[in-house]
């Protein structure tokens, strides 16, 4: 991934690859993760995609994309560590596969910037109908996460555990924050995003990077920018320990446990920490799956996740409420086994293969390439997938034991049935 800095402080990353019939491009504005702004950032690209001055409705937008050989533009909202992004993701046919004399990339960029810079406006703000409609859609998405009780329990754990850190804020904001947004306030926020927040553009395709850069310079030249600098990513700022229980009308309890470590994807032991997570709880060969689920039958599902941008590991388990305490003790016992070096060479090999398998898929599609490198740039990871794979292969049981001993149990959240 080749980086360039364009006028106006635009960070442009290109990955030249001639294997695919389609290219990919993303434009993401980097925003500090903040409670009030998270809902605005989640809503903004959806409203921009509703219409422009030249193409004022979804039908005309669809017809224009059809003219561009079925190109697609979608909203992109990411949360990585201390940052939230808002913007667009696009995929489109490569120019060399178009009919003679047709171009796709340049007119595609023209249309993307039309969506970004020429929205439908009324009374000093966005279209009220567009905003109200997309607010309903966003609220439905937020409520759908509540309806998935595993996701809800995990989000509650992060919310309680990260009270001193923006990482505990929901990626899409909260319903009450969305409801309070007005068309004029969203437009004012949009102007701030355009003019002040850093921008990263990622391109994957066969075009020369210099040619794409010239097209982007022309488009971004339409904006008077005075970008601010965001502080670098930070490790988790932990609040007080939190062990909460909530009751809802559910049949299966959800137990979530949170652990903290100083190791992030910006530290030397990142690869070992990824392997530890795979040994401990990520995948069907992990200690949690093989022991807590299979051998002891203490849960219906169990797994761990490592948030490398912050230094945070969570465990999620679906359990019978009567087995919750036993499952909790056994989860901690499996972590203790990792700390004591009770890891076989077979467990280590299976864990490393799981991580390596994910890395091998990075170059399978333009979207996968964009997703890996965009997330890496946001989180501060500088090691590419090949170099990272070499680091994974070099991890030993001693390395895994060392990083396991940096993990400490911090908080938990139990969601159980009402009256149990």
């Amino acid at each position: 991934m080749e980086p360039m800095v364009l006028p106006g402080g635009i960070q442009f990353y290109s990955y030249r690859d001639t294997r695919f019939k389609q290219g990919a491009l993303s434009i993401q504005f980097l925003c500090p993760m903040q409670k009030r702004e998270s809902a605005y950032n989640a809503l903004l690209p959806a409203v921009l995609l509703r219409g422009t001055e030249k193409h004022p409705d979804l039908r005309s937008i669809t017809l224009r994309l059809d003219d561009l050989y079925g190109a697609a533009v979608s909203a992109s909202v990411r949360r990585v560590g201390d940052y939230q992004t808002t913007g667009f993701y696009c995929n489109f046919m490569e120019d060399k596969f178009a009919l003679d004399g047709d171009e796709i990339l340049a007119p595609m960029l023209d249309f993307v910037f039309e969506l970004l810079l020429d929205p439908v406006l009324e009374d000093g703000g966005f279209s009220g109908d567009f905003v109200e409609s997309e607010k309903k859609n966003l609220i439905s998405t937020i409520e759908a996460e509540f309806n998935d009780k595993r996701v809800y329990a995990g989000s509650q754990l992060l919310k309680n555990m990260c009270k001193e850190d923006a990482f505990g804020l929901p990626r899409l904001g909260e319903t009450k924050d969305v409801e309070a947004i007005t068309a004029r306030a969203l437009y004012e926020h949009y102007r701030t995003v355009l003019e002040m927040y850093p921008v990263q553009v990622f391109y994957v395709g066969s075009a020369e990077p210099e040619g794409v850069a010239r097209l982007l310079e022309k488009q971004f030249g339409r904006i008077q920018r005075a970008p601010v600098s965001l502080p670098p990513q930070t490790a988790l700022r932990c609040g007080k320990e939190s062990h909460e229980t909530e009751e809802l009308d559910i049949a299966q309890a959800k137990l979530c446990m949170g652990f903290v470590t100083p190791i992030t994807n910006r530290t030397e032991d990142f690869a070992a920490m990824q392997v530890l997570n795979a040994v401990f709880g990520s995948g069907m060969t992990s200690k949690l799956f093989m022991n807590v689920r299979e051998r002891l039958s203490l849960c219906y599902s169990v797994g761990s996740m490592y948030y490398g941008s912050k230094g945070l590991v969570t465990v999620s388990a679906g359990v019978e409420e009567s087995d919750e305490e036993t499952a909790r003790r056994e989860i901690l016992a499996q972590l203790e086994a990792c700390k004591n070096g009770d890891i076989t060479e077979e467990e280590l090999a299976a864990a490393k293969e799981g991580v390596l398998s994910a890395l091998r898929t990075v170059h399978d599609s333009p979207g996968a390439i964009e997703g890996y490198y965009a997330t890496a740039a946001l989180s501060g990871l500088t090691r590419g997938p090949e170099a990272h794979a070499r680091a994974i292969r070099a991890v030993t049981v001693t390395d895994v034991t060392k990083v396991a001993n940096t993990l400490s149990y911090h908080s938990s959240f139990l969601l159980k049935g009402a009256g149990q």
Side-chain angles (χ1 to χ4, degrees), residues 283-357:
M284 297 177 64
T285 62
S286 69
K287 287 184 176 293
L288 293 186
F289 186 89
M290 296 300 295
N291 292 285
V292 184
R293 184 185 187 277
E294 295 295 289
R295 180 172 63 85
L296 298 173
S297 300
L298 289 173
C299 55
Y300 303 99
S301 61
V302 67
S304 67
M305 180 175 292
Y306 171 48
Y307 297 92
S309 62
K310 298 302 289 185
L312 172 64
V313 173
T314 60
V315 172
S316 175
V319 301
E320 290 288 349
E321 199 276 330
S322 58
D323 291 330
E324 177 264 323
E325 282 295 340
T326 306
R328 189 189 299 255
R329 286 196 301 270
E330 189 59 32
I331 289 168
L332 293 174
Q334 295 305 318
L335 177 59
E336 195 64 25
C338 293
K339 292 183 176 183
N340 293 333
D342 182 13
I343 301 167
T344 67
E345 288 298 329
E346 290 77 13
E347 287 178 311
L348 180 67
K352 290 163 74 169
E353 178 55 31
V355 180
L356 291 169
S357 178

Side-chain angles (χ1 to χ4, degrees), residues 219-278:
Q219 297 291 352
F220 277 110
R222 299 167 57 189
I223 312 171
Q224 295 294 321
R225 286 178 47 78
V228 299
S229 296
L230 296 184
Q233 294 275 15
T234 62
L236 184 68
R237 295 182 293 275
C238 290
K240 295 180 180 179
E241 292 184 11
S242 171
H243 299 281
E244 302 291 335
T245 298
E246 183 176 338
E247 295 185 358
L248 288 175
D249 186 16
I250 56 174
Q252 182 190 108
K254 311 295 181 186
L255 170 64
C256 293
M257 303 168 66
F259 305 81
V260 294
T261 173
I263 298 172
T264 70
N265 56 13
R266 301 173 295 281
T267 54
E268 184 178 353
D269 292 328
F270 174 52
M273 194 69 205
Q274 281 192 303
V275 175
L276 165 66
N277 181 56

Side-chain angles (χ1 to χ4, degrees), residues 41 57 79 110 139 205 209 263 310 348 384:
N41 294 328
D57 52 42
R79 193 267 301 278
D110 286 342
I139 289 170
I263 298 172
K310 298 302 289 185
L348 180 67

Side-chain angles (χ1 to χ4, degrees), residues 95-166:
D95 283 355
K96 63 183 178 180
F97 295 104
L99 296 175
D100 288 345
D102 281 359
E103 290 185 342
I104 301 173
L105 178 58
M108 175 69 192
L109 278 174
D110 286 342
F111 187 56
V112 169
F113 277 87
E114 179 186 328
L115 291 166
L116 180 63
L117 301 179
D118 301 321
V120 175
L121 302 177
E122 59 182 39
D123 299 327
F126 288 119
S127 162
D129 289 341
F130 289 176
V131 171
E132 292 305 314
S133 176
E134 293 306 324
K135 283 168 62 175
K136 291 178 182 178
N137 291 337
L138 180 55
I139 289 170
S140 294
T141 301
I142 293 170
E143 290 177 347
E145 293 188 356
F146 171 78
N147 292 331
D148 184 330
K149 296 304 184 284
R150 180 186 62 82
V151 173
Y152 172 72
S155 66
Q156 290 300 103
L157 171 68
L158 291 179
K159 182 178 179 180
N160 293 337
M161 188 174 177
C162 306
K163 288 180 179 178
E164 305 298 323
D165 194 289

